[in-house]
Amino acid sequence: MRAALLVAVLAGLPGIPAGAEARRADLAILRDDYVAQGRAFTPETRRAAFDYLASLETRASGMSDAEFLIAVATTTALADNGHDSWHPGDGAWLPKRAPMRFFWFPDALVVARASPEQRDLAGARVTAIDGHSIDELFGRLRPLSGGTDEYRRWNLTLFLERAELLHALGLAASPDRMTLSLVLRDGTATTRGIEMLPHESTPHGVAPGRLLSAPPYDGEKQFGWTGVPATAEEPLYLQDPDRQFRIVDLPAIGASYLQFRSHYSTEAEPIEDFIRAARAQLADTRPENLIVDLRFDGGGNIDPTVDFFNGLAAAVPGRIYLIVSRLTFSAGIVAAALVEQSAADRVTFVGEPVGDRLRFWSEAKAVCLPESKYCIQVTNGLWDLVAGC
């Protein structure tokens, strides 16, 4: 299974607003190749999407780039399925972005990374943008993403970090800057005007969970961006932040700690190699208990790991503590279900609700719009982790 995971920062080139016919051509593809074909739509939501696109055709010539991007996001959100999403292809327009990255906790929006000029804001809590509270902003942005509210809170940061999109939605006074109300790490309340930056002068995107580790990632180093200053010792789950898979022995508590941050192989970390090594280590150390940390597992390909997660219960005689969060998505959710179903009487869930419903559509193929270059994920594979599918 492939997760339709939209990273929060993507490179794009400024575009020239398209003419009416080009806009209408993209809208027709969105209607015929996405809304008409997507399996996640119900009859009611499909009709709503058809009606919405028809309303856009009458004003296609007057739509700005920002308005068209919002229209694409709104259309995919009408499927109300986390995997139904969009991403900018090569040459797609994206507006300038803020010189910082946000992370949306259950109870706060926090500046997780910042440019050198805004370094003192790293770790600050954002209480309002251009006078709009965070709760108000979420309510106004909610129609731009489908899925659960947990998923929306990390998916919608793309809009919060771009004044031109907020301006097009009537939530920012200027397309080029925003005013943040903040509470700094020392408790001081302040207000800061923030100018937007072109994409070529900002780091590339990264998976949401990586934002919480203190060391800069590769894309940040050349720009001098930093995260929240590290404590004396980073907690275990944030250590080795650029590794996708880890297993750590914890003999003091008679346990092993197993972490998956994705279900993707990379050249440096083939997932099959890690699975072989993890099996061997568990067989050698024979821990009493197991901690399985999937809180940052945004998904990928579940096929190579099905047998591994099915067999984890047999590797330990004691408890299995399964850590999940709203960033647990797609294949990460399936992995959690495999562990739970293999030893339900010994599994304790820790954390918060996962990032999708337990019945969802995935297995997406991309349909790309030739004029705007936005690509839409059309889902056609059903997963039902409650009734079984």
Side-chain angles (χ1 to χ4, degrees):
M1 178 175 59
R2 297 292 176 183
L5 176 63
L6 174 65
V7 298
V9 182
L10 293 164
L13 298 175
I16 299 171
E21 291 309 310
R23 288 281 195 234
R24 291 192 183 102
D26 274 4
L27 292 174
I29 292 172
L30 197 57
R31 179 193 65 220
D32 298 337
D33 294 350
Y34 171 56
V35 176
Q37 304 297 325
R39 298 290 298 279
F41 286 96
T42 66
E44 293 76 19
T45 59
R46 199 184 310 275
R47 173 50 53 195
F50 282 144
D51 291 346
Y52 175 67
L53 291 173
S55 73
L56 296 180
E57 290 180 2
T58 62
R59 55 188 183 90
S61 61
M63 294 179 71
S64 67
D65 286 324
E67 289 170 332
F68 191 79
L69 185 156
I70 289 167
V72 170
T74 301
T75 304
T76 61
L78 285 168
D80 195 23
N81 179 59
H83 286 76
D84 278 57
S85 61
W86 63 275
H87 66 271
D90 291 341
W93 177 86
L94 278 179
K96 295 179 181 179
R97 57 156 301 111
M100 58 190 61
R101 295 286 305 276
F102 296 138
F103 190 92
W104 213 329
F105 289 95
D107 59 350
L109 181 71
V110 172
V111 178
R113 325 293 294 184
S115 68
E117 296 76 16
Q118 309 296 340
R119 188 185 305 270
D120 63 312
L121 298 186
R125 179 164 54 90
V126 182
T127 59
I129 299 177
D130 273 35
H132 300 284
S133 72
I134 301 308
D135 287 344
E136 179 188 355
L137 288 165
F138 177 71
R140 296 283 296 276
L141 294 175
R142 193 175 181 275
L144 302 179
S145 175
T148 66
D149 280 357
E150 288 79 15
Y151 173 82
R152 287 180 167 101
R153 279 193 168 84
W154 62 264
N155 199 39
L156 289 172
T157 53
L158 181 146
F159 293 88
L160 289 177
E161 295 168 352
R162 290 165 172 83
E164 189 163 356
L165 297 179
L166 294 178
H167 181 259
L169 291 162
L171 296 170
S174 167
D176 299 315
R177 70 189 310 272
M178 60 175 64
T179 301
L180 301 182
S181 300
L182 308 115
V183 178
L184 303 181
R185 293 196 306 275
D186 64 5
T188 303
T190 188
T191 300
R192 182 77 58 88
I194 302 294
E195 301 290 334
M196 299 297 105
L197 298 178
H199 284 274
E200 57 269 21
S201 62
T202 63
H204 64 68
V206 71
R210 179 60 178 84
L211 300 177
L212 299 181
S213 296
Y217 60 86
D218 286 343
E220 289 182 309
K221 293 174 183 176
Q222 72 182 97
F223 298 105
W225 283 40
T226 55
V228 180
T231 56
E233 182 178 359
E234 287 268 70
L236 178 61
Y237 78 102
L238 294 179
Q239 294 174 16
D240 297 321
D242 295 312
R243 291 180 58 188
Q244 297 303 301
F245 323 112
R246 296 194 301 152
I247 184 167
V248 180
D249 292 330
L250 302 174
I253 60 173
S256 286
Y257 172 83
L258 179 70
Q259 183 177 39
F260 274 67
R261 290 182 168 122
S262 81
H263 266 72
Y264 290 109
S265 282
T266 65
E267 186 175 346
E269 292 183 275
I271 197 167
E272 295 85 357
D273 290 354
F274 174 78
I275 288 172
R276 283 192 290 270
R279 279 179 170 147
Q281 187 165 330
L282 289 171
D284 181 56
T285 59
R286 297 182 180 275
E288 177 71 18
N289 306 301
L290 184 63
I291 301 163
V292 182
D293 190 345
L294 304 175
R295 79 186 81 184
F296 294 153
D297 189 343
N301 187 2
I302 192 65
D303 293 341
T305 63
V306 168
D307 291 341
F308 177 70
F309 282 101
N310 263 330
L312 280 179
V316 295
R319 301 297 303 176
I320 300 175
Y321 298 93
L322 194 54
I323 305 175
V324 294
S325 77
R326 89 201 66 161
L327 299 181
T328 308
F329 194 71
S330 194
I333 299 174
V334 178
L338 290 170
V339 176
E340 194 274 337
Q341 291 173 10
S342 65
D345 60 329
R346 292 192 288 127
V347 171
T348 299
F349 276 90
V350 181
E352 58 184 358
V354 296
D356 207 348
R357 304 178 181 97
L358 298 185
R359 185 180 190 276
F360 59 86
W361 289 88
S362 64
E363 315 311 318
K365 66 175 182 178
V367 169
C368 295
L369 308 180
E371 177 60 39
S372 63
K373 306 297 193 298
Y374 298 123
C375 296
I376 317 302
Q377 300 297 323
V378 187
T379 57
N380 56 22
L382 178 64
W383 290 76
D384 191 332
L385 302 180
V386 178
C389 180

